[in-house]
């Protein structure tokens, strides 16, 4: 199948029309807008990655399993460490995305600058072509009018050749010659304008072909660049998934080394309080406790010595025995 090219498909039968050229320029402007949209998309994605990375980094600094011990504690420490590493990898990804967006911006600006020169040249040719065409059309109009004036003068002279005097014939002849000269002059001017327009047209045709080839080359580069940019962007995202999975694999390996029984024994050895349970609590009857309760000695007997025994001498008048039945109560 024959390939299609810009230079073969954007012409117009109207020499003053720029419809084909304008269609190409509109398409190129749309392509430039697409580049800007993808550039903005990548910058926004980089901002999202950066925000996520910073929040993930902050999360990795929070307390997680501080009270754990032994192998599980080591696994949780690895978990936090690799979470921090994942956040750092996302920060790196955000920076990479910004660099790719900058490359796309540079490419877009470079195309814009080089295309501007061609557009300016073509715009000048279009204005020159239209101006010359209008000038040629005006010269043609004047030329045709002078030709009609000449024919009218000749016809008038021929009609009055036999009826007019010699003096009148001379005037008619002079008028006819004047009209003929005017027609010849306008013919020369018209012919010159047509020749000039032809040269301008040839120059415009050549430049239009060159411009179409240049624009087509730019469009091929743009499509190829955008394709590669998106492809590389996705490669970075895929690599981020691989990197994250490798970091998470380190956590999984650490979890595989987590020994449940060892952690249980470690806790027991570190925090044990004894291996004997409390003895059973016996039932104690309240009344049995009362009968078997020992006689308590007054606290004063402990603190002070007892009184001395009374003297045993019967002759002592200070002491006397109390007879049985004696009472101190008087009635």
């Amino acid at each position: 199948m024959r390939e299609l090219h810009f230079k073969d498909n954007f012409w117009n039968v109207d020499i003053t029309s720029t419809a084909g050229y304008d269609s190409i320029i509109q398409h190129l402007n749309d392509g430039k807008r697409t580049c800007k949209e993808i550039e903005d998309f990548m910058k926004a994605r980089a901002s999202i990655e950066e925000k996520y990375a910073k929040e993930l980094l902050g999360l990795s600094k929070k307390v997680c399993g501080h009270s754990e011990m032994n192998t599980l504690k080591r696994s949780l420490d690895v978990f936090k460490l690799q979470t921090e590493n994942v956040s750092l990898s996302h920060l790196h990804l955000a920076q990479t995305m910004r660099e790719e967006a900058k490359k796309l911006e540079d490419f877009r600006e470079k195309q814009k600058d080089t295309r501007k020169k061609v557009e300016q040249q073509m715009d000048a040719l279009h204005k020159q072509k239209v101006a010359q065409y209008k000038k040629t059309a005006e010269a043609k109009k004047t030329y045709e009018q002078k030709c009609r004036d000449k024919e009218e003068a000749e016809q008038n002279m021929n009609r009055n050749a036999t009826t007019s005097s010699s003096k009148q014939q001379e005037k008619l002849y002079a008028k006819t010659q004047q009209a003929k000269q005017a027609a010849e002059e306008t013919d020369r001017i018209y012919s010159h304008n047509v020749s000039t327009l032809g040269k301008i047209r040839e120059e415009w045709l050549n430049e239009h072909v060159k411009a179409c080839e240049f624009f087509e080359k730019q469009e091929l580069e743009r499509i190829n660049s955008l394709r590669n940019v998106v492809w590389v962007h996705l490669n970075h995202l895929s690599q981020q998934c691989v990197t994250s999975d490798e970091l998470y694999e380190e956590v999984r390996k650490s979890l595989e080394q987590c020994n449940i029984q060892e952690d249980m024994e470690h806790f027991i050895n570190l925090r044990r309080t004894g291996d004997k349970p409390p003895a059973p609590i016996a039932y104690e009857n309240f009344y049995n406790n009362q009968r078997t309760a020992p006689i308590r000695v007054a606290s004063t007997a402990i603190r002070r010595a007892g009184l001395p025994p009374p003297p045993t001498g019967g002759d002592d008048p200070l002491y006397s025995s109390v007879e049985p039945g004696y009472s101190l109560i008087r009635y």
Side-chain angles (χ1 to χ4, degrees), residues 58-323:
L59 181 63
S60 69
K61 302 299 182 182
K62 291 187 176 181
V63 175
C64 182
H66 179 70
S67 60
E68 288 296 334
M69 56 185 65
N70 209 37
T71 62
L72 180 57
K73 179 175 177 58
R74 289 196 292 269
S75 295
L76 293 178
D77 289 342
V78 173
F79 172 60
K80 289 181 60 180
L81 175 62
Q82 298 306 332
T83 300
E84 179 181 352
N85 290 335
V86 170
S87 70
L88 295 177
S89 68
H90 278 279
L91 278 176
H92 178 71
L93 175 62
Q95 181 60 31
T96 301
M97 287 181 177
R98 286 195 174 91
E99 291 174 357
E100 292 299 321
K102 185 64 171 62
K103 291 179 182 178
L104 182 57
E105 180 183 2
D106 293 340
F107 170 78
R108 177 172 56 82
E109 290 298 323
K110 181 180 179 182
Q111 278 207 332
K112 175 183 175 182
D113 293 339
T114 53
R115 200 181 88 193
K116 186 177 181 180
K117 299 177 182 178
V118 177
E119 288 185 24
Q120 289 176 342
Q121 183 179 6
M122 290 302 298
D123 289 342
L125 281 174
H126 288 151
K127 291 179 180 178
Q128 185 181 11
K129 180 187 64 172
V130 171
Q132 183 60 38
Y133 175 79
K134 290 181 179 180
K135 187 176 180 181
T136 301
E138 188 65 29
K140 179 183 179 182
K141 182 178 179 181
T142 303
Y143 161 70
E144 290 175 346
Q145 183 61 44
K146 293 301 181 182
C147 287
R148 285 192 289 268
D149 292 345
K150 172 196 165 190
E151 290 179 355
E152 184 179 352
E154 288 177 346
Q155 290 174 2
N156 188 29
M157 183 183 70
N158 292 332
R159 281 197 304 268
N160 296 297
T162 57
T163 58
S164 60
S165 61
S166 58
K167 188 174 182 180
Q168 288 177 334
Q169 289 181 359
E170 289 178 359
K171 288 182 178 179
L172 291 173
Y173 178 77
K175 187 176 181 180
T176 301
Q177 291 299 316
Q178 184 178 4
K180 182 179 179 181
Q181 291 176 358
E184 291 175 351
E185 177 63 18
T186 54
D187 177 54
R188 184 187 65 79
I189 294 173
Y190 171 52
S191 177
H192 175 73
N193 283 321
V194 170
S195 177
T196 302
L197 179 61
K199 293 178 181 179
I200 293 175
R201 175 183 171 276
E202 286 297 324
E203 181 182 5
W204 168 73
L205 289 176
N206 293 332
E207 294 301 324
H208 180 79
V209 170
K210 292 179 182 179
C212 286
E213 291 174 343
F214 174 80
F215 292 150
E216 182 174 324
K217 181 180 178 182
Q218 268 206 336
E219 183 62 6
L220 290 173
E221 291 176 351
R222 185 190 69 85
I223 295 175
N224 185 57
S225 295
L226 285 182
R227 175 180 175 274
N228 290 339
V229 164
V230 176
W231 191 287
V232 171
H233 177 72
L234 295 176
N235 284 347
H236 289 316
L237 294 176
S238 297
Q239 182 59 46
Q240 176 60 41
C241 293
V242 173
T243 301
S244 296
D245 188 64
E246 290 175 350
L247 296 173
Y248 294 144
E249 181 63 23
E250 294 299 319
V251 182
R252 286 191 286 266
K253 290 179 180 179
S254 177
L255 290 172
E256 288 175 352
Q257 301 301 317
C258 180
N259 190 311
I260 300 175
Q261 185 59 36
E262 182 181 337
D263 283 8
M264 297 290 289
E265 293 177 359
H266 178 82
F267 167 70
I268 292 172
N269 292 329
L270 184 65
R271 303 287 175 82
R272 65 172 58 191
T273 59
D275 56 357
K276 293 182 179 180
I281 306 300
Y283 171 76
E284 297 180 1
N285 188 283
F286 175 79
Y287 298 100
N288 290 341
N289 290 341
Q290 287 287 331
R291 286 193 291 269
T292 60
I295 300 174
R296 295 186 180 182
V297 179
S299 59
T300 54
I302 298 175
R303 294 193 299 268
R304 300 177 184 176
L307 293 175
T312 58
D315 298 334
D316 189 348
L318 297 177
Y319 297 93
S320 63
S321 60
V322 178
E323 295 178 0

Side-chain angles (χ1 to χ4, degrees), residues 4 8 11 29 128 170 208 233 328:
L4 300 178
D8 301 323
W11 299 103
N29 288 334
Q128 185 181 11
E170 289 178 359
H208 180 79
H233 177 72
L328 293 175

